[in-house]
Amino acid sequence: MIATAHTGSAASAEHSRFVQRVRRRYAPELALLPPGAPGPDALRATWDALRARGYEPAAALRVLRHLTLERLAVLDCEHGAALTDITRAVTALAEFVLDQAAALACAELDAVHGPPYVDGPAPGPNAPAADARGQRPCAWWIVGMGKLGARELNVSSDIDLIYVYEADGETAGDAQGRQRITNHEYFAKLVKRMQALISDVTEHGQAFRVDLALRPNGNSGPPAVPLGALEDYFQAHGREWERFAWLKSRVVAPAAAARRDGTGQWLRPVVLPFVFRRYLDYAVFEALRRLHRQIRDHAARRAAGHPERAWDVKLSRGGIREIEFIVQLLQVVRGGQFPELRTRPTLQALQRVARAGLMPADQAQRLADAYTFLRRVEHRIQYLDDQQTHVLPTRDDDLAWIAVTMGYADTPAFLRALDAHREVVAQEFDTLLGGERGGCNGKGCNGHTRATPDDLAALLPQCPPALAERLAPWVDHPRVLALRDEARTRLVRLLERTVAWIDAGRVTETAAIRLVDWIEPLLRREAYLALLQERPAVHERMLRVLGAARWPARYLLRHPGVIDELASVELYATRFDRAAFVADLEQRRWALHKTGEDDDEALLDLLRRAHHAEVFRTLARDVEGLLTVEQVADDLSALADAVLDVTGRWCWQRLRGRHRDEPRHAIIGYGKLGGKELGYGSDLDIVFVYDDDDERAPEIYAAFVRKLINWLTVKTGEGDLFEIDTALRPNGNSGLLVTSFDAYANYQQNRGSNTAWTWEHQAMTRARFVVGADDLRARFDAVRQAVITAPRDHAALAAEIRAMRQRLYDAHPVRPGYFDLKHSPGGMIDIEFAVQYLVLAHSAAHPALRDNAGNIALLQRAEAAGLLPPGMGHAAADAYRQLRQWQHRARLDEAPTQIDPAQAEPWASAARALWAHVLGPS
């Protein structure tokens, strides 16, 4: 932790030469600004007072700025005001100045040419009403970029603006209908007039320096651009660095358009897809690296012969710009899929990056501390002379004043703290953007001669035989040849590093071949090549997953975006956390809602991406041997519970005709979901019930369940969630899709003429309340207990279970000379059916068997209760665990689940002994 001190009495704003000038020149006006940090109301009151004293509008804007900055210097240097108090006050000043200048410029132009109008439908809501001719006033916006957009302006900042108007058209003309001009001409005149009102240097200085260079086509482009032309520019000519520029964009004026419900929201559908891509966009790494290199080179040229410029707190190594680049890079790469990262202020973005697990919390805090420190230093540099500079002064008295106002006893102590903060930033920046790391960076890899940047053929002799054979067709593969030079270089470097790791024994040739299989259909999606090249740790982890089994390779091919999860520093140190998963989903949904993007399609994709990512996290831990089969099943089952919970709530909120805020329903899980034994790709056996006396309830809950099943099963561009099986509902597939709770209870408890079969009672032993109204949980548990403890004829029950087992044998024949892990005598079905018999026959007398505790625990409890001979329950439990593990591994590797009987015999014999004791000889 970098220490700071408290501001002392010597920290006076009077040292600032700018403050001295303001106090001499505007002493009578200083009292016009109300006490405290200037906000919109205080700025308005001071503006009115200045106008009442006879100041012309342009002069009043400039004097208002001087009064505001003098106040901020006092609050900052003498009273230790928070950084955000200062930056928000300067931003409020800029917004006020722009709004006043806009009103003045429009009034002048409208008096001569009339206001601009457009025809046709508006591109968004809240459009001004059309007149009798069908024409509407043309909406227009001033977009604040950079620190203005993020409400982070520094005290001597210029403001980066882009003027956008709705569409081409024509003005109304003067009172006689003359002097009409095109909207293009009108807004060009408007920009010119506003520049004069704000930026021209007069006897009172400037209100703000204005920079329009960020507009489409820069200084060679028109001063104002129609919204449609802006969208066309983004699609055809938008460059990577412009995405970073637009990341913090915000409509700042006119005030009516800038409101949350104003027409400024019309820009969102144009700007958001340009800044945030739908996929993980690692290709921006190199673009940002180039931009940073240009900035550093420019700074170095400026510093040539001026060593003092090395102390630039913004542009030099470890400066403010590098913190902004770190944060913006993480936002742009992932903001398309993780909308909760979309925020403009740097400090807030750092918090969100840490909350998303993209950066350790302590590192994010160190960067936040450094950012606050450097910005406060920047302000003091600018207070001295009101110059837009970021370089530490060379005068000893100025340095000493900065040190004291920063809370340090002397200049050396301040400079040591400054160095420490810059080093924190520089190290983090180099870690994130320092270029390719890991193997294969010099002239060769492990002694190999390095291939030329795009020479795949030169790499083949260095590859193991099977990998070389797999790669050989790529030499003249059309997709490979069609790659851009930069992407082809990435591909060769990636393969080169893979070969080096094979030679070093870090990964297997099988993993490398599967990587090639994975890359081939994705060659045109260059972001994945960029991710793997930029993140060697992700590359190696992915090869380990691919080398472990076949099913992970297939899963990665279906859902390639999940490889980003391998970048998480916490991947192997944590397990699924339901509360955090649900909170993240709600946060992302809210982020989409704020930008008007939370339609059904967006939420369907959001759910699928989140689910696939969590499945992959569990899979990665599984193949690394960090989880047992039981833990895998627990985590996958908890994930399914969470998805059902969130999807159900979102569906209900969007259900037309819903008659209450919260539904009175429950989802009952059966089979693997009920027993918390889900595997990868398992379907969900579920039953829907409701408890609602409203006369419309049957129709409403039927519509709700149909919507919910559709949300769970429909395939979108992101895939699907689950296959749903509702065959265990009362009367199976011929029954109602959703049943009243009372009807469900009566059916299960054999009340009335329509009652459950024995096999349905077997299923009830593994049934579980998953989600729904809290009071229904206890009622379901009571029904389940009543069913499994009901009096039964033990001989008849055993006969029915034996008959059911025989039907399953007949339906799943086993090849001669093989043992099927599930369906052979002594397989998993025998153990599961034996447990179900023990529960249905004996749970009335033995309460320990009533819990849905899983087959292994129930076998051990049955032995403890004396229902099994000593050691039999534990032996059968061990057998079940081993058979499940074999089945799990076989499915992961897409291998047969029928094995050599000799291999299974020790475990199969334990299962057969259990069956014979509980249900009689086979």
Side-chain angles (χ1 to χ4, degrees), residues 23-39:
R23 290 176 177 177
R24 286 195 302 269
R25 175 77 187 269
Y26 301 108
E29 286 81 11
L30 286 171
L32 297 179
L33 186 62

Side-chain angles (χ1 to χ4, degrees), residues 188-237:
K189 292 176 180 290
L190 175 76
V191 172
K192 184 176 181 180
R193 180 58 183 138
M194 287 193 63
Q195 291 289 94
L197 286 167
I198 297 171
S199 297
D200 282 1
V201 179
T202 71
E203 62 174 309
H204 299 289
Q206 297 170 294
F208 280 96
R209 293 176 295 272
V210 175
D211 191 338
L212 302 179
L214 291 177
R215 68 187 187 270
N217 298 304
N219 291 327
S220 63
V225 60
L227 184 58
L230 178 65
E231 184 172 21
D232 292 343
Y233 175 83
F234 284 160
Q235 293 177 356
H237 306 292

Side-chain angles (χ1 to χ4, degrees), residues 82-109:
L83 172 65
T84 51
D85 291 343
I86 304 301
T87 55
R88 283 185 173 273
V90 183
T91 302
L93 173 66
E95 291 170 349
F96 181 82
V97 167
L98 287 167
D99 193 53
Q100 294 304 313
L104 291 165
C106 284
E108 293 176 13
L109 287 170

Side-chain angles (χ1 to χ4, degrees), residues 373-421:
F373 180 93
L374 293 170
R375 289 297 307 274
R376 295 182 72 224
V377 173
E378 176 187 47
H379 285 166
R380 281 148 181 75
I381 293 170
Q382 295 174 351
Y383 288 139
L384 286 169
D385 296 295
D386 188 26
Q387 295 296 309
Q388 190 190 11
T389 180
H390 317 279
V391 179
L392 284 181
T394 55
R395 286 175 45 170
D396 289 345
D397 59 335
D398 288 346
L399 267 178
W401 176 76
I402 291 177
V404 171
T405 60
M406 287 292 293
Y408 292 90
D410 53 34
T411 300
F414 160 69
L415 292 178
R416 284 194 297 272
L418 174 61
D419 280 344
H421 281 297

